[in-house]
Amino acid sequence: MRITASGKYLGATFGSSSPSATVQVEGGHIVAGQRLDIEATADNVLDVTAAVPPGGDLANLTIAFGKAESSSLAEIRPGAVIEAADARISARNTNDLRTHAVAAGFGEASAAGNAATVALGEYDSEAVASVAGRLEIANDLTIEAHSTDQRNETRAQASVLDPVGSHPLVQELNALLAVIPDEATLGTDLAKLIGEQVGKSGLGASVVVTSENVASARLDEGAVVRVGDDLTLEAQAEENFQTSANS
């Protein structure tokens, strides 16, 4: 998902992407003469940009909010029986995540105007490979989970001529954010940020971001596994987290 937008009065751009992939063997008896692959894969591309319009906006504030949730589950449930020469149980997430709020003077926003900017990112990724059934594998068995953020980037770039003041639009936004439930942490963080800075000159470029990346490969309770050669149980979570605020 790619979104680029700007607003005349108060720029606020929101993008959300939540791919999910699930493969479950809940019962039955599977016999594979050669190799058996059970794989769940989720690919997530999120690219959100909020650009200050060339003439600026009335509230002197532009906000970009990117939200991503990726999940993959490859699961052999209790009661399932699998026989194969070789087997691979795999869950894999690949994420490319980018949220930018940009103003004049920065490369990708050559035609943008002047304003304070806020970039918000909320990113969650979980990959799970789970075996709780019975596996009879003559040669090699691999159970693996990988969750990879190829890019995880949240940036705010501001060019402020006038402070974020007490414009009615900003006051209304602050009042709206104040009633967001406590569990919506980014909303309350933004409300606090704007509430502290309204009427001051201190708000230029600000970034608020949370990121969680989890990979789990496991033999759960009830699993019975017999392997003739190699058993590989592997989990890897890779994060490439980058954040910056420039003004």
Side-chain angles (χ1 to χ4, degrees):
M1 172 182 288
R2 288 182 171 87
I3 298 174
T4 301
S6 62
K8 178 179 179 181
Y9 299 101
L10 184 149
T13 303
F14 172 72
S16 177
S17 181
S18 54
S20 177
T22 300
V23 178
Q24 291 178 306
V25 180
E26 296 190 348
H29 191 157
I30 297 174
V31 179
Q34 296 297 320
R35 180 181 177 88
L36 174 67
D37 287 299
I38 295 175
E39 183 172 6
T41 302
D43 295 323
N44 197 350
V45 176
L46 178 73
D47 191 346
V48 178
T49 300
V52 181
D57 53 47
L58 293 180
N60 294 320
L61 178 63
T62 290
I63 302 168
F65 184 6
K67 181 179 175 65
E69 296 177 317
S70 306
S71 65
S72 60
L73 171 65
E75 183 179 29
I76 311 301
R77 302 288 300 275
V81 178
I82 292 177
E83 297 181 58
D86 298 277
R88 182 173 67 102
I89 315 300
S90 176
R92 186 178 298 270
N93 293 345
T94 303
N95 305 304
D96 186 344
L97 312 173
R98 177 180 180 274
T99 302
H100 278 198
V102 294
F106 295 91
E108 66 183 288
S110 57
N114 300 293
T117 58
V118 177
L120 306 173
E122 185 172 353
Y123 313 129
D124 294 290
S125 182
E126 183 177 26
V128 177
S130 169
V131 172
R134 179 178 174 182
L135 274 61
E136 301 279 353
I137 308 302
N139 299 314
D140 298 334
L141 170 63
T142 298
I143 303 169
E144 61 181 6
H146 296 271
S147 183
T148 303
D149 285 353
Q150 295 179 332
R151 177 170 59 171
N152 183 327
E153 185 178 297
T154 308
R155 301 190 189 280
Q157 299 164 322
S159 179
V160 181
L161 298 181
D162 298 311
V164 178
S166 56
H167 191 281
L169 285 173
V170 179
Q171 298 292 344
E172 290 176 14
L173 175 64
N174 191 43
L176 174 63
L177 292 171
V179 300
I180 293 177
D182 289 343
E183 58 268 21
T185 56
L186 284 178
T188 54
D189 287 345
L190 179 58
K192 181 180 179 181
L193 174 67
I194 294 176
E196 289 176 347
Q197 299 300 334
V198 166
K200 300 180 181 180
S201 60
L203 180 58
S206 299
V207 173
V208 182
V209 58
T210 63
S211 182
E212 185 173 4
N213 194 2
V214 177
S216 176
R218 60 185 187 241
L219 295 174
D220 283 328
E221 184 177 355
V224 177
V225 176
R226 293 187 176 89
V227 179
D229 289 326
D230 295 332
L231 169 62
T232 302
L233 193 65
E234 177 180 283
Q236 181 180 28
E238 181 181 341
E239 183 78 87
N240 289 290
F241 182 84
Q242 293 181 320
T243 182
S244 65
N246 302 306
S247 61

